[in-house]
Amino acid sequence: MSQSNTNPESAMIQCVDVHKWYGQFHALRGVTLSVARGEVVVVMGPSGSGKSSFIRTINRLEEHQRGTIIVDGIELTHDVRNIERIRSEVGMVFQSFNLFPHLTVLENITLAPMRVRKMNRERAGKIARELLERVRIPEQADKYPGQLSGGQQQRVAIARALAMEPKVMLFDEPTSALDPEMIKEVLEVMVDLAKSGMTMICVTHEMNFARNVAHRVCFFDQGNIVEMGPPAKLFSTPEHERTQLFLSQILH
Amino acid sequence: MNTSAALPPLTERISILRWLRQNLFRSVADGAVTVLGIVLLLSLVIPIVTWALTEARWQVVIENIRLFAIGQYPIEYVWRVWVCVLLLALICGVSWGLWLFRQRAVGAAILTAFLLLGLLPGALSIPATEKVAGFGLMLPSLAWLVAMSTLGALGYAIAARAPARARKLVGPAWILYLPVCFVLVAGLGPDGLLATVGSNLWGGLLLTLLITAVGIVASFPLGVLLALGRRSKLPVVKAFCIGYIELIRGVPLITILFMAQLILPLFLPDRVTFGPISFRPEIDRVIRAMAGVSLFSAAYMAENVRGGLQNIPRGQFEAADALGLTATQKMTLIVLPQALRMVVPILVGQFIGLFKDTSLVTIVSLLDLLGIGNTVLAQPKFIGTQREVYLFVAAIYWIFSYVMGAISRRLELPQSASRR
Amino acid sequence: MSDTKKTRIPIWRDERAYAVLAQVAFVVVVIAAGVFLFGNLLSALRRQNIPIGFDFLPTRAGFDISDSFLEYTASSNYLQAFQVGLVNTLVVASVGIVLASVFGLITGLAGLTHNFIISRLARVYTEIMRNVPLLVFLVFWYRGIVFNLPKISEALSIGPILVSNRGVAIPWLLEGALSLPVVRGRIFDGGFVLSPELFAILSGLVIYTAAFIGEVIRAGVQAIPRGQFEAARALGFTGMQSIRLIVLPQALRVIIPPLTSQYLNLTKNSSLAAAVGYPDLWSISTVIINQTGRAVEMIAVVMGIYLTTSLLTSLFMNWYNNKVRLIER
């Protein structure tokens, strides 16, 4: 395994020996990963390899049963205060957008800042409009999610996550449910975000995104990281045979 | 060549004949069934219409219309009931202006309902013997209609002029409406404008509507809580809710109403003492019936709400969690608004059922619409008018249920989840 | 978890504790409420000198029951009276279910035909029944219609069935032979005679429930995509065959769950028999309550009986649904 180039003390996310079972099924088998501040990590792997489960343990959408997860110095335990703190520092973007269909775009974005951060309506609205500007759909603020295209919805979802001013952003296959022409507009936003210095973990199979933006690529199989390294190296000279097989499949 | 050969047969060219053929006489058997149907229809309709126009003694309804409307409610306080109706007109006007202005059918239905209500005060003033001085309660029905339309239009205008403010006020207005009505109907003090009117004097349609309204309002939160409880991860809470829901749904309403009448009072302590104050707690008969109806309805409500909850995608819960919303915020801001919107038509159907079910309070001796009907039949003057009385009662139930059902079928809720 | 420096989580912030605490609190509240309410109940009963228990059942009932399928006289005891009611309810419910299914099927199919008159008739009938309370319909039916049927000497005969205001007589198997009813003076002779009350509750429930069952069937058939019927016709099945072999088996899956709940409704609705003077389970129980004051016991037993019926039905339904689903895969 390639050596992590980060100092554990300053790591934004530190996972050590993370295990998770669904009943009898051992979904995560001792994942160890540490992500530095401002680092962009792309996670790849065949379906069912545990990559989604892994990033979902980081904001406690799934509970890990063994091991340690520390986000920005806060350990994820059964302590509700820690869970709340971590969730408000970690933004998440889902494959199926998961926008709230009964709220307008603006309300979707301002909801959490107002309810969780207790921000007033004016300030939250101002931030939301700035974010919509940043994801390039300022004109859609008063529409409902159902009136937007998939790509627009996903950009709203990114804006919604950013409104909480997270220190980390998790992307769970953000472009898998999109038509090809919409993938581009979402990736552009993600590239901008990476350039702004956001710490990001992205589960995605977008090779170009990984090649151009990621600092590191992790290859998942059977509940663990099989291989990890800078994209140039991992894509050109994969060491593990499963990585080779997987790459040959998605590249063709 | 004969051009008519290119033409379709006569039955296809003349639309009425085509319609007849397609809808009534597709085949010989079909034709026979049609004839049979017409014979059946006529043999039912002709005697009924003849009876209704010649034999029937509708006088029993006309002379007792006030009883049917409000029971024994004192005539000098009837204006309080009408204030309730006027308030409703106002709030409906505002709501219509805010949400439903595009839906003509709904508007028409609501207008019809009000027109029907508006006819009642006119009818109330029919018996000349009852021209009692008071707060203009004997105004001709036209005046009431004008007052109601004015208030409705006023509400609409408010909604059009100041939608933001109206939007803020309309929710609390709906929430406060029923308690305000209750105070108006029941009264507050021993005398004065708002003198207490005992619940033994409430009756007729007034009582039926009151029990329905209280039933809806009380069973709604209870039903939502039970639905959430039934989906809870806590096994004890879940078991309790399942037990309650299945118990109630498994037994007839009448047994619950009897329980509310006979056993509920026994659950109360003999005396309640707060320092110097000591009293014997009692629940009014009408309140007991309302409690029974609400407890019954809550179980059905819970199952309907659960249907909506089950249709909320997992992703909505996860997105709320990922944003850091608390469990309560997740439920009240994300899950319930969507789940309830999904089941609105079903809930309206259930409310209609509840409205019809309130007729069972007759069996525990309350004088609701049906109960009043029974007392009217005991008047010596109107012996043998069962058909007239019960048909009239049935017609009132029918109109209310049908109109409510028609509204709910046409109702297109704004921002419904189906837009996704 | 080798991490030894790990701090203990204060219990009020531990999510695992929440679940336990919430349930403990819930149980405590429920038990406290139960103890409070039942304590009040017991002391209220004691004050009124009403014992609790079923010791009153073997005492003499002393009231007459007009309709009974069992041996019963005024000198029978409460338990026997109760049994009479139970059997009456069972008879009304089971016969009612069969008849309501038949008439419901007719209504449902009538609503589905292309024939304008017939489908309109079915719709009007359904719309009338669905928007009127059952109790109102029952009293109208009993006091307005059944009471006003012709006198027995002028009894209407609908085929072999005789209808009068003193009851309805139907052909019946008596001692192995079919016995047709005839009018003899002021009574029916032969056949089986339904009292006006039994006739009223039975026909009232059937007319009312058939409208709902008709809707269930209509909706169930309409849930089958038109393509299924067309495909069947294209394969050369006749109209009846396509309905019997293709449409009906699929529609049944949609129909059976709501149909069962209509059956349960009919059973529960038979408790309104008192409104037409028919002595069903509930109506006899209210008489017993009035005589003995044992409301708690009687209501509990009646509720228990209805509840058992519906739980058994639900169990059957779950079993049936699982079976249908297995076949599907």
Side-chain angles (χ1 to χ4, degrees):
Chain A
M1 234 190 249
S2 69
Q3 183 55 49
S4 162
N5 58 357
T6 53
N7 167 9
E9 294 308 309
S10 70
M12 184 58 113
I13 301 173
Q14 217 183 338
C15 303
V16 179
D17 193 31
V18 173
H19 287 263
K20 167 150 192 71
W21 285 263
Y22 294 102
Q24 291 293 308
F25 179 62
H26 199 172
L28 295 179
R29 307 178 179 213
V31 180
T32 299
L33 175 73
S34 122
V35 180
R37 273 167 217 280
E39 194 181 16
V40 177
V41 175
V42 163
V43 178
M44 290 188 166
S47 63
S49 60
K51 53 190 194 304
S52 249
S53 302
F54 171 62
I55 73 165
R56 290 155 64 89
T57 55
I58 295 173
N59 68 346
R60 197 56 162 206
L61 288 185
E62 310 275 0
E63 186 185 327
H64 62 290
Q65 281 117 2
R66 231 172 78 195
T68 328
I69 298 176
I70 298 173
V71 180
D72 198 21
I74 308 163
E75 185 179 354
L76 197 51
T77 59
H78 289 288
D79 187 339
V80 260
R81 199 175 66 180
N82 287 8
I83 297 173
E84 278 165 18
R85 275 158 68 193
I86 288 177
R87 277 182 176 165
S88 65
E89 289 194 0
V90 177
M92 184 155 196
V93 176
F94 300 86
Q95 179 179 352
S96 50
F97 327 137
N98 295 344
L99 292 179
F100 304 130
H102 62 302
L103 302 177
T104 63
V105 165
L106 199 70
E107 287 164 346
N108 261 283
I109 302 176
T110 54
L111 180 78
M114 284 167 58
R115 301 290 174 158
V116 181
R117 292 240 192 273
K118 311 291 174 205
M119 211 180 265
N120 65 35
R121 182 181 295 275
E122 287 69 32
R123 179 129 182 272
K126 191 166 158 282
I127 292 174
R129 285 184 194 280
E130 284 168 10
L131 283 167
L132 283 174
E133 202 83 49
R134 199 164 147 196
V135 299
R136 298 163 204 169
I137 37 172
E139 70 285 357
Q140 311 287 4
D142 296 316
K143 290 198 179 155
Y144 285 92
Q147 296 168 297
L148 304 184
S149 74
Q152 290 171 327
Q153 288 196 41
Q154 193 60 299
R155 286 184 282 161
V156 174
I158 294 174
R160 177 176 74 176
L162 289 176
M164 288 293 285
E165 290 161 352
K167 294 180 178 164
V168 181
M169 284 284 283
L170 306 175
F171 292 84
D172 189 0
E173 306 208 26
T175 55
S176 304
L178 294 176
D179 293 335
E181 70 269 25
M182 293 168 184
I183 292 180
K184 194 167 151 269
E185 57 192 51
V186 171
L187 285 181
E188 276 168 8
V189 170
M190 288 171 64
V191 171
D192 285 354
L193 194 59
K195 283 184 184 147
S196 74
M198 176 65 75
T199 312
M200 291 163 65
I201 302 184
C202 313
V203 174
T204 181
H205 292 160
E206 293 299 329
M207 299 298 287
N208 283 330
F209 176 79
R211 203 172 277 134
N212 299 334
V213 183
H215 301 110
R216 246 190 313 163
V217 175
C218 300
F219 181 71
F220 255 74
D221 196 28
Q222 292 179 356
N224 210 339
I225 299 174
V226 185
E227 193 169 350
M228 178 157 65
K233 179 168 172 294
L234 194 93
F235 291 159
S236 56
T237 53
E239 284 166 17
H240 205 284
E241 66 179 298
R242 285 207 297 264
T243 322
Q244 291 161 4
L245 182 70
F246 179 77
L247 287 173
S248 74
Q249 276 166 347
I250 63 164
L251 287 175
H252 295 123
Chain B
M1 234 185 124
N2 189 346
T3 48
S4 71
L7 284 174
L10 191 66
T11 50
E12 292 302 310
R13 267 180 291 158
I14 301 173
S15 59
I16 185 154
L17 287 181
R18 188 169 64 227
W19 185 89
L20 282 175
R21 193 184 65 79
Q22 281 181 350
N23 294 293
L24 293 176
F25 299 98
R26 285 204 162 186
S27 62
V28 179
D30 202 27
V33 170
T34 301
V35 172
L36 210 74
I38 294 175
V39 168
L40 181 70
L41 185 67
L42 293 181
S43 66
L44 278 174
V45 169
I46 292 178
I48 292 176
V49 171
T50 324
W51 170 82
L53 293 179
T54 58
E55 233 180 286
R57 292 150 66 196
W58 293 115
Q59 203 60 28
V60 64
V61 171
I62 295 167
E63 283 189 22
N64 289 298
I65 194 77
R66 192 164 68 91
L67 277 180
F68 281 115
I70 52 173
Q72 305 273 9
Y73 201 85
I75 193 90
E76 63 267 36
Y77 297 127
V78 172
W79 63 272
R80 288 173 7 192
V81 177
W82 292 110
V83 170
C84 294
V85 178
L86 293 177
L87 281 177
L88 186 65
L90 180 67
I91 304 181
C92 277
V94 176
S95 311
W96 191 16
L98 279 180
W99 294 314
L100 306 169
F101 53 91
R102 268 169 284 129
Q103 299 182 35
R104 291 227 182 85
V106 175
I110 292 175
L111 272 181
T112 321
F114 273 111
L115 285 176
L116 286 169
L117 281 175
L119 291 176
L120 282 171
L124 292 188
S125 58
I126 284 175
T129 49
E130 302 219 282
K131 289 223 160 113
V132 186
F135 294 87
L137 49 123
M138 288 304 160
L139 284 176
S141 63
L142 197 65
W144 283 109
L145 274 186
V146 170
M148 261 189 286
S149 342
T150 316
L151 277 172
L154 181 71
Y156 188 90
I158 292 173
R161 279 284 168 75
R165 193 168 299 172
R167 211 176 288 273
K168 259 187 205 154
L169 289 175
V170 74
W174 275 114
I175 293 171
L176 283 176
Y177 178 70
L178 187 64
V180 167
C181 283
F182 213 90
V183 169
L184 276 170
V185 171
L188 277 177
D191 46 30
L193 277 186
L194 287 174
T196 310
V197 176
S199 69
N200 53 326
L201 297 177
W202 310 353
L205 185 59
L206 171 67
L207 181 59
T208 294
L209 291 179
L210 268 179
I211 296 177
T212 308
V214 171
I216 291 173
V217 170
S219 66
F220 185 74
L222 206 55
V224 169
L225 283 181
L226 283 166
L228 293 176
R230 186 162 188 174
R231 282 173 56 89
S232 163
K233 286 188 197 109
L234 309 178
V236 174
V237 177
K238 187 173 179 167
F240 178 84
C241 292
I242 291 180
Y244 179 86
I245 292 169
E246 294 304 328
L247 169 69
I248 299 288
R249 278 160 35 98
V251 301
L253 170 57
I254 187 66
T255 58
I256 293 174
L257 283 176
F258 263 77
M259 200 172 106
Q261 289 300 334
L262 299 177
I263 303 182
L264 194 62
L266 303 182
F267 280 136
L268 295 181
D270 188 31
R271 293 206 78 78
V272 175
T273 313
F274 288 116
I277 317 158
S278 173
F279 64 95
R280 191 184 172 79
E282 268 175 51
I283 322 179
D284 180 278
R285 291 174 55 76
V286 172
I287 307 284
R288 278 183 245 165
M290 288 171 171
V293 166
S294 308
L295 290 175
F296 178 76
S297 179
Y300 289 83
M301 180 83 64
E303 282 303 271
N304 289 334
V305 172
R306 187 167 73 109
L309 289 176
Q310 277 171 337
N311 280 320
I312 304 294
R314 234 172 83 99
Q316 294 290 311
F317 293 82
E318 291 180 346
D321 281 337
L323 286 172
L325 298 180
T326 64
T328 321
Q329 288 172 332
K330 180 168 63 175
M331 274 302 157
T332 54
L333 299 171
I334 307 298
V335 179
L336 279 178
Q338 294 185 57
L340 292 178
R341 246 169 231 173
M342 252 182 237
V343 294
V344 160
I346 300 172
L347 291 187
V348 175
Q350 197 206 320
F351 293 153
I352 296 172
L354 174 66
F355 169 65
K356 292 190 292 170
D357 282 343
T358 58
S359 57
L360 265 65
V361 301
T362 301
I363 302 182
V364 290
S365 313
L366 297 191
L367 296 177
D368 71 322
L369 198 48
L370 179 59
I372 284 285
N374 290 335
T375 62
V376 165
L377 285 171
Q379 296 171 355
K381 194 175 163 192
F382 295 115
I383 292 292
T385 53
Q386 281 87 356
R387 297 184 202 186
E388 291 85 343
V389 166
Y390 291 133
L391 274 180
F392 174 72
V393 169
I396 303 238
Y397 276 109
W398 191 89
I399 291 169
F400 271 87
S401 308
Y402 188 80
V403 168
M404 281 204 278
I407 291 179
S408 83
R409 277 193 295 275
R410 303 238 162 89
L411 205 61
E412 254 186 66
L413 283 175
Q415 312 139 36
S416 68
S418 64
R419 278 237 208 105
R420 268 153 57 90
Chain C
M1 302 221 183
S2 51
D3 208 344
T4 46
K5 67 175 182 196
K6 193 153 130 134
T7 46
R8 270 182 66 84
I9 306 163
I11 190 153
W12 62 90
R13 275 178 12 211
D14 190 327
E15 56 171 359
R16 289 164 302 185
Y18 278 16
V20 176
L21 287 178
Q23 301 199 68
V24 169
F26 187 81
V27 170
V28 167
V29 169
V30 168
I31 290 180
V35 166
F36 173 74
L37 295 176
F38 277 92
N40 289 337
L41 176 70
L42 291 178
S43 62
L45 289 176
R46 212 172 304 123
R47 266 197 317 278
Q48 297 176 14
N49 254 330
I50 304 174
I52 203 153
F54 290 96
D55 49 300
F56 65 99
L57 285 178
T59 22
R60 185 174 179 275
F63 57 86
D64 279 314
I65 298 178
S66 53
D67 263 280
S68 171
F69 292 94
L70 302 178
E71 283 294 313
Y72 179 87
T73 62
S75 55
S76 303
N77 61 34
Y78 286 122
L79 184 62
Q80 284 163 316
F82 189 80
Q83 285 165 343
V84 168
L86 183 58
V87 170
N88 283 349
T89 288
L90 288 176
V91 168
V92 168
S94 46
V95 178
I97 283 173
V98 172
L99 292 179
S101 305
V102 172
F103 287 102
L105 184 66
I106 295 173
T107 312
L109 294 180
L112 285 165
T113 59
H114 301 285
N115 191 305
F116 182 77
I117 296 274
I118 299 297
S119 63
R120 264 309 117 110
L121 273 175
R123 280 234 56 77
V124 169
Y125 159 59
T126 316
E127 282 298 335
I128 290 176
M129 286 304 161
R130 281 160 52 91
N131 290 305
V132 168
L134 172 62
L135 185 61
V136 175
F137 174 67
L138 282 178
V139 290
F140 166 75
W141 186 243
Y142 177 62
R143 297 181 64 183
I145 304 293
V146 176
F147 260 28
N148 290 318
L149 287 171
K151 281 183 291 200
I152 199 158
S153 50
E154 299 155 17
L156 280 176
S157 48
I158 304 169
I161 300 171
L162 297 175
V163 179
S164 80
N165 64 357
R166 299 287 299 278
V168 173
I170 54 169
W172 198 251
L173 279 176
L174 284 179
E175 289 149 11
L178 188 68
S179 152
L180 294 179
V182 286
V183 176
R184 215 156 265 155
R186 282 156 102 221
I187 52 160
F188 289 117
D189 190 25
F192 179 81
V193 181
L194 287 80
S195 67
E197 289 72 31
L198 177 56
F199 173 70
I201 185 67
L202 207 49
S203 54
L205 282 176
V206 166
I207 294 173
Y208 189 80
T209 313
F212 288 81
I213 292 181
E215 270 303 283
V216 166
I217 288 174
R218 198 174 64 93
V221 172
Q222 279 177 345
I224 308 304
R226 254 202 94 64
Q228 291 289 312
F229 187 75
E230 283 164 1
R233 292 306 296 267
L235 286 171
F237 290 116
T238 66
M240 262 332 275
Q241 276 179 324
S242 355
I243 288 180
R244 193 166 53 86
L245 298 172
I246 309 295
V247 177
L248 214 56
Q250 297 187 57
L252 273 185
R253 264 180 226 176
V254 186
I255 288 172
I256 292 221
L259 187 64
T260 320
S261 80
Q262 287 304 329
Y263 289 166
L264 283 178
N265 281 349
L266 187 144
T267 310
K268 286 185 279 176
N269 283 339
S270 70
S271 61
L272 298 182
V276 303
Y278 185 73
D280 77 319
L281 178 65
W282 177 246
S283 123
I284 286 179
S285 300
T286 52
V287 176
I288 299 179
I289 291 174
N290 281 336
Q291 288 198 357
T292 63
R294 302 297 192 87
V296 180
E297 297 91 327
M298 289 309 294
I299 292 179
V301 169
V302 175
M303 281 185 162
I305 289 174
Y306 278 107
L307 187 61
T308 314
T309 318
S310 45
L311 288 184
L312 287 178
T313 316
S314 313
L315 281 181
F316 168 77
M317 278 313 300
N318 287 344
W319 169 82
Y320 173 84
N321 281 338
N322 283 332
K323 202 181 112 172
V324 169
R325 208 176 304 140
L326 277 178
I327 295 167
E328 223 167 36
R329 275 178 194 161

